[in-house]
Amino acid sequence: MNNEWFEKDFYKILGVSKDASASDIKKAYRKLARDHHPDAKPGDTAAEEKFKGISEAYSVLSNPDKRKEYDEQRAMFSSGGGFPRAGTSGGFGFPSGGTTTGGFDFSDLLGGMFGGGGTTRTRSAPARRGADVETEATLSFDDAISGVTVPLRTTSDEPCSTCHGTGAKAGTVPRVCPHCEGSGMQTSASGGLFAMTEPCDMCRGRGLVVDDPCTTCHGSGRAASSRTMQVRIPAGVKDGQRIRLKGKGTKGENGGPNGDLYVSVHVETHRLFGRKGDNLTITVPVTFDEAALGAEISVPTLNGAPVRLKVPAGTPNGRTFRARGKGAPRADGTKADLLVTIEVQVPSPLSDDERAAVEAFRAARDGDDPRAAMLGGGA
């Protein structure tokens, strides 16, 4: 243990009593560290020295074993026992110009309070992800079911083609932002105990400052760009569905990834078919005799040959049948079903022969009333 340490009152430096709890010591250190951290007061050598002393005190008092040894040696010194010999108990030294003491990394405690203990001040401009782009596509019903490749024209901010994204006029180059030193970020103490990290006000997060701006992008390094791309819309897409195409958005900066392209799909209605989930739907008319006596009818399918459907005798109006595998493609590659709803047609007007046949049918029913049970005339 360093002899001169016993001439220092670490409790006084942190402003706590000798019987302070570990929580009180930690709380006191955090407050003092925030007030005197070199990143909070760049260029202030007095604050830097103060911060070193605060860190030195905390490195001892935050460690139970070191605190115990410190207290015992201080008590021995005050009673005339003298200092221990230098080097007899290592691991306490505070290295000059740093914030690591006895293997303790203060940046872990600060938790990024000052952008990583000051290391971010010398970082290069950060990589920035490109912005996402939104567009729309209108498809026919058939194309939505089968899938289609469509041309889409998008407009977004891209690196300026005149200055190639630097923001500087030809023949000049931007300089490193003096405020954030190229990190693109700054810290603000407005967040309370922990400082907030946010984009630099001076360079707006770019890490660079342009003195002679490009006449096209006015120094931003970005310019509106239109482009047309061929986009594959998957089979079975639904009306209102939003498709994400990864990496097809705005280009990133400084090696950052591209943004994504989001396509909102609108599907036109079909004269025959509808959708119910992945299933297709269709309403098919049948005659009274087909519903009453039964029949085998032909039902159209989308983009395929008609299917034969057996209608049992006595089929009521509105009954739905299922033609398996004749619907829209599912995500797993299989096909959903076609739901066929029967609609019984009433001929109008009736020919003389039709009228005679219907009257004969009525007579054969002998006055049977299907509403009798509703009106209390049945069981």
Side-chain angles (χ1 to χ4, degrees):
M1 183 178 291
N2 195 326
N3 289 347
E4 72 174 31
W5 276 29
F6 297 103
E7 299 175 359
K8 301 176 182 178
D9 189 342
F10 290 150
Y11 294 100
K12 185 176 181 180
I13 291 173
L14 294 182
V16 297
S17 62
K18 292 183 178 180
D19 58 353
S21 65
S23 176
D24 291 337
I25 291 172
K26 187 175 184 179
K27 187 184 299 183
Y29 167 73
R30 283 188 167 183
K31 181 179 184 306
L32 292 171
R34 186 188 66 182
D35 293 340
H36 299 283
H37 195 282
D39 284 0
K41 297 182 178 181
D44 189 339
T45 56
E48 184 175 352
E49 290 302 317
K50 180 76 172 178
F51 178 77
K52 289 181 180 179
I54 294 167
S55 301
E56 183 182 32
Y58 184 74
S59 71
V60 175
L61 300 186
S62 63
N63 185 304
D65 293 334
K66 293 179 181 179
R67 182 180 180 182
K68 180 181 179 181
E69 184 177 359
Y70 171 78
D71 289 341
E72 290 175 351
Q73 296 294 349
R74 286 276 294 179
M76 184 185 300
F77 171 68
S78 62
S79 63
F83 290 115
R85 288 181 299 135
T88 58
S89 179
F92 274 60
F94 185 82
S96 60
T99 57
T100 303
T101 304
F104 184 88
D105 189 356
F106 284 92
S107 63
D108 291 340
L109 174 67
L110 297 176
M113 186 191 306
F114 297 98
T119 58
T120 59
R121 298 176 60 195
T122 58
R123 290 185 305 186
S124 59
R128 298 176 67 183
R129 180 182 181 275
D132 294 333
V133 177
E134 297 270 356
T135 190
E136 297 181 341
T138 299
L139 309 180
S140 69
F141 191 91
D142 294 52
D143 285 342
I145 297 300
S146 304
V148 65
T149 298
V150 297
L152 292 180
R153 186 174 179 81
T154 62
T155 301
S156 61
D157 281 344
E158 300 283 354
C160 175
S161 58
T162 302
C163 65
H164 305 291
T166 66
K169 191 175 180 179
T172 67
V173 293
R175 57 188 173 89
V176 175
C177 175
H179 184 63
C180 66
E181 297 188 5
S183 71
M185 305 300 289
Q186 65 182 16
T187 53
S188 170
S190 60
L193 176 61
F194 293 99
M196 303 295 290
T197 302
E198 57 191 6
C200 174
D201 289 335
M202 187 172 185
C203 65
R204 298 183 180 181
R206 294 190 67 208
L208 301 172
V209 175
V210 177
D211 296 317
D212 197 358
C214 168
T215 56
T216 301
C217 66
H218 306 291
S220 68
R222 313 290 289 183
S225 174
S226 296
R227 58 175 172 154
T228 300
M229 67 181 77
Q230 298 295 317
V231 174
R232 179 66 185 176
I233 305 297
V237 67
K238 301 179 179 66
D239 182 54
Q241 187 170 342
R242 192 167 178 253
I243 301 172
R244 175 187 177 225
L245 300 173
K246 188 175 182 180
K248 297 297 184 180
T250 302
K251 293 180 181 178
E253 289 187 78
N254 302 321
N258 294 346
D260 299 330
L261 173 64
Y262 289 90
V263 183
S264 296
V265 178
H266 305 287
V267 180
E268 297 173 341
T269 58
H270 194 280
R271 67 183 186 88
L272 295 179
F273 296 95
R275 291 284 296 269
K276 187 175 183 180
D278 288 330
N279 296 321
L280 298 183
T281 63
I282 189 172
T283 299
V284 178
V286 297
T287 62
F288 171 75
D289 59 283
E290 288 175 327
L293 303 177
E296 188 173 290
I297 64 174
S298 190
V299 178
T301 62
L302 186 69
N303 302 324
V307 294
R308 300 294 292 176
L309 178 67
K310 185 175 182 180
V311 179
T315 296
N317 183 64
R319 182 174 176 181
T320 299
F321 297 89
R322 185 183 298 269
R324 297 192 179 278
K326 299 300 180 180
R330 297 189 181 100
D332 61 4
T334 63
K335 276 195 170 185
D337 303 329
L338 173 64
L339 306 180
V340 183
T341 300
I342 297 301
E343 185 178 74
V344 179
Q345 298 262 305
V346 177
S348 179
L350 295 174
S351 67
D352 291 342
D353 290 342
E354 288 172 337
R355 179 174 291 279
V358 173
E359 288 176 349
F361 173 74
R362 177 185 288 178
R365 293 180 63 246
D366 194 24
D368 182 28
D369 186 357
R371 297 168 295 281
M374 298 174 60
L375 300 173

